[in-house]
Amino acid sequence: MRYRNRTDAAKRLADALESSEQFDEQVKPLVLGIPRGGIPVAAVIADRIGGELDVLVARKLGAPENAEYAIGAVAEDGTAIIDEALVERLGISSEYVETEQYRQQLEVERRAAKLRGTSGPTPVGGRVCVVVDDGVATGATLEVSLRLVTRAGPKRVIAAVPVGPPDTIRRLATIADAVVCPLQPAVFFAVGAWYDDFAQVSEREVADVLERSRSGG
């Protein structure tokens, strides 16, 4: 099983979500996409389940010499997680971790301001929240996002991703009320390996998706 692109992945993920019966028909669910790649997936899901779309900005903390290898992550409210065992195993200094966390926090704030403008985050209290990304490897970014949402008092938090390794999915299931992930390959390399087309999503594309959603387009 592979996905053609993010749209194909989103449709299959929406099928899995609909069959999971996680939603309360009395309350409109809130679908929170993690930019950038999670936003086009989240938009399809919000449309399918009749949810409201918003962005949830978080950033991974990259390892030295390999920015894509997450040693932790930080979210909009400053919530951060650090994989201390990994940091120790890689011999990463505390100074590097502090600097990287500060740098990524500034980037999170910049992106949130750019994508939301003057409006703040959509309130999540008492709502079913679906937190969406286009896939997970270590799951650090999604984990910190789930912790951020959980702190805001939702009725239920569902993590939804098209693909991720089984051990990561099991760990995320201890944080979210439910995790929906149709593809969990035992041998996992990278998220993009499970897509035929995994082209980078630009900030402009993210902003356009959010603007269409806000205007009802």
Side-chain angles (χ1 to χ4, degrees):
M1 177 179 171
R2 288 172 59 85
Y3 299 114
R4 291 192 301 276
N5 49 36
R6 288 183 179 86
T7 300
D8 177 41
K11 290 177 179 177
R12 295 202 223 178
L13 183 54
D15 289 341
L17 277 163
E18 287 181 324
S19 65
S20 69
E21 300 182 348
Q22 296 283 346
F23 304 103
D24 183 347
E25 294 182 1
Q26 311 262 323
V27 182
K28 189 173 187 177
L30 176 61
V31 181
L32 298 165
I34 299 174
R36 294 186 295 240
I39 294 297
V41 179
V44 172
I45 289 171
D47 184 62
R48 280 280 294 275
I49 68 174
E52 181 181 0
L53 178 68
D54 197 5
V55 61
L56 197 165
V57 185
R59 291 277 293 177
K60 72 177 67 172
L61 308 182
E65 313 301 331
N66 186 355
E68 292 304 309
Y69 191 55
I71 60 171
V74 64
E76 290 182 62
D77 69 343
T79 298
I81 58 168
I82 306 295
D83 188 333
E84 300 290 357
L86 179 60
V87 166
E88 183 176 355
R89 188 167 75 247
L90 296 177
I92 300 172
S93 69
S94 59
E95 290 79 11
Y96 173 86
V97 174
E98 290 173 8
T99 299
E100 176 68 356
Q101 182 174 335
Y102 178 73
R103 187 173 72 88
Q104 295 301 344
Q105 183 66 50
L106 290 179
E107 178 62 14
V108 163
E109 293 169 2
R110 182 195 71 80
R111 285 192 179 189
K114 184 173 183 178
L115 295 173
R116 286 209 183 90
T118 56
S119 61
T122 303
V124 306
R127 302 181 70 175
V128 175
C129 298
V130 186
V131 183
V132 180
D133 208 348
D134 55 9
V136 291
T138 67
T141 304
L142 183 54
E143 179 178 344
V144 77
S145 300
L146 292 170
R147 293 190 185 282
L148 169 59
V149 175
T150 299
R151 285 169 50 169
K155 180 176 182 179
R156 186 181 308 124
V157 179
I158 303 164
V161 290
V163 59
D167 57 343
T168 297
I169 300 304
R170 284 192 294 270
R171 190 182 82 251
L172 294 173
T174 67
I175 302 165
D177 295 298
V179 180
V180 178
C181 179
L183 179 57
Q184 300 180 39
V187 179
F188 191 91
F189 300 105
V191 171
W194 302 96
Y195 286 80
D196 294 329
D197 176 8
F198 197 62
Q200 188 174 39
V201 178
S202 70
E203 280 197 355
R204 181 69 263 166
E205 289 175 285
V206 170
D208 288 346
V209 169
L210 293 171
E211 182 57 35
R212 285 196 299 271
S213 175
R214 293 181 187 120
S215 63

